[in-house]
Amino acid sequence: MALTERTLLGPGPSNPYPEATAGLAAPLLGHLDPEFIAVLERTCDHLRSAWGTANPVTLPLSGTGSIGMEAAFANTVRPGDVVVVAVNGLFGVRMCEVAARYGAEVVRVDHPWGDPVDTERVLAAHPSPALVAAVHAETSTGARSDIAGLGAALREHSPQSLLLADCVTSLGGIEVAVDEWGVDIAYSGTQKCLGVAPGLAPFTFSERAWERRVEIPPVWYLDLGLLGGYVRGGPSGRAYHHTAPVAMVASLDAALARLHEEGLDAVQERHQAAGRRLQDGLQEMGLELFAAEGHRLPQLTSVRVPEGVDSAKVREQLLTEYGIEIGAGVGDYAASVWRIGLMGHNARLDRAELILAALRRVLGR
Amino acid sequence: MALTERTLLGPGPSNPYPEATAGLAAPLLGHLDPEFIAVLERTCDHLRSAWGTANPVTLPLSGTGSIGMEAAFANTVRPGDVVVVAVNGLFGVRMCEVAARYGAEVVRVDHPWGDPVDTERVLAAHPSPALVAAVHAETSTGARSDIAGLGAALREHSPQSLLLADCVTSLGGIEVAVDEWGVDIAYSGTQKCLGVAPGLAPFTFSERAWERRVEIPPVWYLDLGLLGGYVRGGPSGRAYHHTAPVAMVASLDAALARLHEEGLDAVQERHQAAGRRLQDGLQEMGLELFAAEGHRLPQLTSVRVPEGVDSAKVREQLLTEYGIEIGAGVGDYAASVWRIGLMGHNARLDRAELILAALRRVLGR
């Protein structure tokens, strides 16, 4: 039953930090154990630092990254609400679908895949939407959008609109500053730059989003009113909602402690340096990067498959001969783009050199 | 940061099987890795054996046990559907709440807590409900209900009604026979008798439930139409839905492999023997069991707190002096009942003796 060891350089999961793996295998605590409550509180505090927020409602939701998106819309959208969604990749498309399930009147602003979100076009789509949603780091394309700029412009354009940012692939890898940027709702996943296995969705919700939240959202499991009672306590103490995934939380706690020890700035510089080396090396090899120049994520690089090369065959060869996983493209780009992640524990120069060397061999360059 | 080791004899989580812990810490695979797909398929096959079903839609959902309940109602209830819920503890109460969020007309059939579900009363509540829901093993009270009897009677009474069974605390500990009993929808949690950390909800859905499922459920994350495509494959192959919690699935896979090696019958006998010893020992100590005689779960024993004893103080003393966690009661019984679990890896005579000895010391009996 022993599993093969892989170097996970796709769009996630990435190889966890050793501390995160140790946290998973640590002795299990009950979800109401005072020691576990301390672990959870420390995790939430460390998440607040990582998000750059003072939001009391900041917690890891009990599901993979997508549950963060679900919770975001379930707790904010009432039937008929206008929700403007910036779409520049798969996760923008998905936000439209999820928002629509909660009855939103979705105004979709499409961009070419690989481009960043265009603030002016997004704001021009509606004078006063209930919610504006955009993806900070598009996992499907490797493009980075300027959420700070979108937030600032939105405050001018329509101060009462809430701003939602998908930070699944950004948190723990590049700067995220929820409070400074004016983001009201944000979610992430543990399996990308945070360097933990998939299974939790770090989530943060501003006070003004809290005041305007849906009182009884359709989804009981993601009802922030009930979850908030577990995380913040309430008049009658800490209310049991559901059994927390204690091993996953212990793992996230261990990874966040490590990130804070290394320093969030140092972690971001490490992602930056590894990504730059990879992108330089790919271009030196004569390959063409996919995401728009100036808007490329260091932690996730999209690169065009060279003419005449069988995309899937290369990925298979990397996997079977080198034990390295990289990702295919998405949608129209499934066969013409690769996605290479250097996230979390893999955001290192040696991993960049490894995938460059392996690709050189496989492509004969 | 090292966590204290606990003996988890509450209502769950229980201490995982060593194989499950090893699975958590094994090298991480990508969620689309052929080797992971094999792990997932083996997990689903082993789950089918454990559930006693041939249902193709049998899978671990990516959340804790409560997400199974949410998925059950989200995919079956249309606004206005009559849902009869047997309530004999907290999880019956919760089913009413969750069903109502999806627009069900809930017909609630209350029973005294600690009693099993009364088939006749449940069926008398409505001539032809869309769905009948009951809890097999009530975690809040330690009572076992006769789902086989309910299923057989329902087929006579209203053959077109779907039957839903909450098996969070039964699967892997006592017999569950979904197909034989005529259960259409069932869910469980990993942190009870399956002996895995919390984080997944084993789920099974019959073919007739599939045919009548809600086409576009309000919750995207739990849309079985989309999830089914990932688990069963579809016309265009295995469709990506969300990143599976790969470490948790590897852990469940390892635990299920162990259960099947030991033999499901042997595992059930082990739960039976441990529970019997505990319940006998508690009564020998002069304590009174809470759940109705003849309907007591071996894996979860509820016992009345003796007159004049401070319930919370005893639990605290067990935790701090012996490292043993047991559970409080729920709701009206919070201070007057304890819940002691001997589940999964803890379903052993030595654990029964341990808690009996510790209780004897603490209570001075």
Side-chain angles (χ1 to χ4, degrees), chain A residues 4 6 33 35 70 221 223, chain B residues 4 6 33 35 70 221:
Chain A
T4 307
R6 305 285 200 206
D33 192 307
E35 201 171 319
E70 192 88 45
Y221 187 75
D223 181 332
Chain B
T4 308
R6 304 285 199 205
D33 191 306
E35 202 172 317
E70 192 89 45
Y221 188 74

Side-chain angles (χ1 to χ4, degrees), chain A residues 56-141:
Chain A
V57 179
T58 299
L59 73 163
L61 296 176
S62 306
T64 52
S66 303
I67 216 172
M69 188 189 291
E70 192 88 45
F73 289 107
N75 285 281
T76 51
V77 172
R78 293 173 177 80
D81 279 355
V82 172
V83 175
V84 172
V85 181
V87 176
N88 64 334
L90 177 70
F91 293 91
V93 173
R94 182 173 297 176
M95 288 203 291
C96 296
E97 191 181 337
V98 174
R101 294 211 183 189
Y102 292 95
E105 188 188 309
V106 175
V107 180
R108 176 175 166 156
V109 184
D110 271 292
H111 300 67
W113 284 35
D115 278 8
V117 166
D118 180 334
T119 292
E120 282 187 29
R121 289 189 52 227
V122 171
L123 297 190
H126 196 277
S128 59
L131 185 68
V132 172
V135 178
H136 184 208
E138 241 304 342
T139 319
S140 63
T141 69

Side-chain angles (χ1 to χ4, degrees), chain B residues 5-9 15 274 277-278 281-282 285 318 321-326 340-342 345-363:
Chain B
E5 207 173 324
R6 304 285 199 205
T7 303
L8 299 173
L9 305 183
N15 297 97
R277 174 65 197 113
L278 173 63
L282 290 169
M285 221 187 286
L318 287 171
E321 291 179 18
Y322 298 86
I324 299 174
E325 178 179 276
I326 69 168
I340 306 174
L342 294 174
H345 188 47
N346 290 336
R348 289 150 45 181
L349 291 177
D350 64 311
R351 295 288 205 255
E353 293 303 338
L354 170 66
I355 181 62
L356 286 169
L359 262 180
R360 247 181 254 118
R361 295 287 295 174
V362 171
L363 295 175

